[in-house]
Amino acid sequence: MGRIKKIALITLVLLLAAALIAGCGQQKSGAEKQGASGGDTINIGVNYELSGDVATYGTNSKDAILLAFEEINQNGGVLGGKKLNPIVLDNGGKREEAMSAAAKLITENKVVALLGPATSGATMAASTMATKYKVPIISPSATNPDVTVDPQTKKVRDYVFRVCFIDPTQAIVGAEFATKDLGTKKAAIIYSNSDEYSKGLYKVFKEEFVKNGGQVVAEESFNSGDQDFRPALTRIKDAGADLIYVPAYYGDVGKIVNQARELGIKVPMLGADGWDSPKLAEYAGGAANLNNTYFTNHYAASDPNPRLQAFIKAFKAKYNREPDAFAALAYDTAYLLADAINRAGSADPEAIRNALASTKNFDGITSKITIDENHNPVKDVAIIAMVDGKQTLKKKITH
């Protein structure tokens, strides 16, 4: 009997312990759910490249989001007083880490929406988790068309959105600016054959430039790591081009501009948002070499828009540095999410998704934004002119 009583007692203790653990687990899960959507705070995932090769992109984006959330919370929050609670994870600029971070934010931190990553590859990886768990994800700066539309099925990815224009859009606007504003008739294109971003822009620009009545008189390609562009530039010069389109990132762009000026090539040079870097003048051999160059971008710091100027002032005050386009886009993304939550009247992910999809004329600092049927924004594209090394807003084109 003693042995039986002992076994019964142990069994009872184990059952009570199991019940207690289960109760605690249910209580924790309920608390997490309440913290996400039913309590005083709403958890938002911030999944960015805070280390690695593109850490500046992720850091500037993350800092702008935190600034925006701070402002929103100080001004009453959302849904009648709830605070937005950012939970930040570093994906290191790696696709697998971006996916892992998204899964953790959704399943462990119970976020109702994901902001970021900054780059297209990382965003597409993270969006697989967003789609699986039906949580909306917004990238401020992922410009690849495939981010929101599956290239195989042509179907829109239901839970994926962005606030930046896509690469074909800026190539089309660039071609329009080249022919209508600069009056160029003969263009040369020098692009990176080892980069999808550059090749995509090259293809669309060429098609649009010809469609607008222009002629492409020379096409030259290079590979990542190339240093000497003089042979290609000499062929371009001999072809009689009155404009050179350089759809590449600032490191290569600077070298190309520098060597073009060394060869006496003074025609306008035009590019895309990959030019946007405070180091561009350094790579170009000085600010003077950048005169008579232009590029399409998401915003211009010289834009007199009062709300944009207030953002720049606040960002500089908080972080002691100038915000770039990534920061401006991320700031808009944070406010767009807050606006969607308020319009949804709920922190339910599905309701937020529906509100994002129905966004019309959201008043962002980079532009007014309407989300189209492909979850891309209809918005302004800024044309930047480089004047003595400084970015100057030339004009805005809505597309």
Side-chain angles (χ1 to χ4, degrees), residues 5-262:
K5 286 182 178 180
K6 186 176 181 179
I7 292 172
L9 180 61
I10 292 172
T11 301
L12 179 60
V13 170
L14 290 174
L15 288 171
L16 288 171
L20 181 61
I21 290 170
C24 288
Q26 290 171 359
Q27 184 178 8
K28 181 178 180 182
S29 177
E32 286 176 345
K33 185 175 181 181
Q34 184 181 31
S37 60
D40 294 331
T41 61
I42 298 172
N43 291 345
I44 307 297
V46 181
N47 180 3
Y48 272 100
E49 301 86 336
L50 305 180
S51 60
D53 294 339
V54 293
T56 59
Y57 294 173
T59 300
N60 286 337
S61 300
K62 178 263 297 181
D63 286 348
I65 288 169
L66 296 186
L67 171 63
F69 280 4
E70 183 179 294
E71 293 173 351
I72 292 166
N73 289 339
Q74 288 175 350
N75 287 301
V78 296
L79 300 177
K82 297 181 187 294
K83 305 299 183 184
L84 297 175
N85 178 40
I87 300 175
V88 180
L89 290 182
D90 176 18
N91 62 49
K94 299 177 181 178
R95 295 189 180 201
E96 61 274 16
E97 292 297 326
M99 184 186 297
S100 176
K104 181 178 181 181
L105 287 164
I106 295 169
T107 62
E108 295 183 21
N109 300 114
K110 309 299 180 185
V111 302
V112 301
L114 293 165
L115 301 186
T119 58
S120 294
T123 299
M124 285 190 276
S127 69
T128 61
M129 294 295 101
T131 299
K132 177 180 179 179
Y133 292 104
K134 297 184 178 180
V135 171
I137 180 172
I138 318 171
S139 175
S141 48
T143 55
N144 189 307
D146 297 349
V147 168
T148 58
V149 178
D150 187 315
Q152 302 301 322
T153 65
K154 307 302 180 184
K155 290 184 178 179
V156 177
R157 304 185 195 275
D158 284 343
Y159 293 86
V160 189
F161 300 84
R162 66 176 128 217
V163 299
C164 58
F165 50 71
I166 60 177
D167 289 333
T169 296
Q170 62 174 330
I172 292 169
V173 169
E176 179 181 333
F177 176 74
T179 53
K180 295 183 180 179
D181 293 82
L182 296 180
T184 55
K185 302 295 184 182
K186 298 180 179 181
I189 306 173
I190 180 168
Y191 66 97
S192 172
N193 200 39
S194 55
D195 181 72
E196 293 301 320
Y197 165 81
S198 189
K199 288 190 290 186
L201 288 167
Y202 146 68
K203 180 181 178 181
V204 176
F205 177 87
K206 178 183 176 181
E207 292 173 353
E208 289 298 316
F209 189 79
V210 172
K211 188 185 297 183
N212 292 343
Q215 178 185 1
V216 176
V217 296
E219 299 173 41
E220 298 286 343
S221 65
F222 62 90
N223 292 311
S224 178
D226 286 356
Q227 300 295 319
D228 187 5
F229 301 94
R230 293 175 186 84
L233 289 167
T234 298
R235 290 190 291 272
I236 285 173
K237 183 178 181 181
D238 292 342
D242 53 12
L243 173 129
I244 303 175
Y245 186 59
V246 191
Y249 292 110
Y250 63 90
D252 292 322
V253 169
K255 296 168 191 172
I256 292 169
V257 171
N258 190 13
Q259 292 173 28
R261 298 316 189 209
E262 285 178 358

